[in-house]
Amino acid sequence: HCSTGGSQASVQLESSTGEVTTAQVQDKNDGSYMASVVAGQVGEVKMSISINGQQIKGSPYSLVVLDYTRVGKPSKVVNIDGRMGHPWGIAFGNNGMWAVADNSKHCVYIFDDQDQLIKSFGSHGAGNGQFNRPEGV
């Protein structure tokens, strides 16, 4: 079922102290699933992803949960030269670069470690390089 949806998907975060947080998972009915979770703690966590009770290849994944109030990036994202419409998903790389999906402008913005916009890509649609309201990066 995974290529068309209908599978039982689950996502859990486990903190270094053993605290487990379960994500809400939405079946997009096209073979993709969207998980939403608010981690209980900042720091290193393990993210386990299972489909029909079986962990997917590579799971669990090591992640670092950041405290956005300390990082300060989201408030800067909203005012990128008036370009940003509706920032939805944000991801930070180990090299200081970061990316944010714009849900209303159907694109992704990439920034360097100095918070300078490097590039943006995407447009509305279903073709190559096109998005329909991206919800994450």
Side-chain angles (χ1 to χ4, degrees):
H1 292 279
C2 204
S3 63
T4 59
S7 296
Q8 203 57 28
S10 67
V11 176
Q12 289 188 322
L13 298 181
E14 183 177 352
S15 72
S16 59
T17 62
E19 178 184 346
V20 175
T21 307
T22 301
Q24 292 181 320
V25 179
Q26 178 185 3
D27 185 346
K28 305 293 256 175
N29 294 316
D30 62 0
S32 67
Y33 298 81
M34 185 176 90
S36 300
V37 63
V38 175
Q41 300 176 3
V42 297
E44 292 186 27
V45 298
K46 297 285 185 188
M47 180 176 68
S48 299
I49 304 172
S50 299
I51 302 291
N52 294 328
Q54 298 288 317
Q55 285 203 26
I56 65 170
K57 185 176 181 177
S59 180
Y61 300 94
S62 294
L63 303 173
V64 176
V65 175
L66 301 173
D67 181 347
Y68 286 136
T69 59
R70 287 194 319 213
V71 174
K73 304 251 188 241
S75 61
K76 292 180 183 178
V77 171
V78 178
N79 297 312
I80 307 165
D81 300 327
R83 293 183 220 189
M84 187 69 58
H86 190 197
W88 195 272
I90 189 167
F92 295 89
N94 291 345
N95 58 2
M97 294 179 65
W98 53 288
V100 62
D102 188 326
N103 188 264
S104 67
K105 296 205 176 174
H106 314 283
C107 65
V108 173
Y109 298 96
I110 308 290
F111 298 88
D112 67 15
D113 60 349
Q114 301 298 312
D115 300 335
Q116 298 298 309
L117 179 64
I118 296 173
K119 68 178 177 177
S120 64
F121 59 91
S123 62
H124 185 251
N128 255 349
Q130 295 183 316
F131 300 103
N132 185 12
R133 298 200 172 277
E135 297 175 339
V137 182

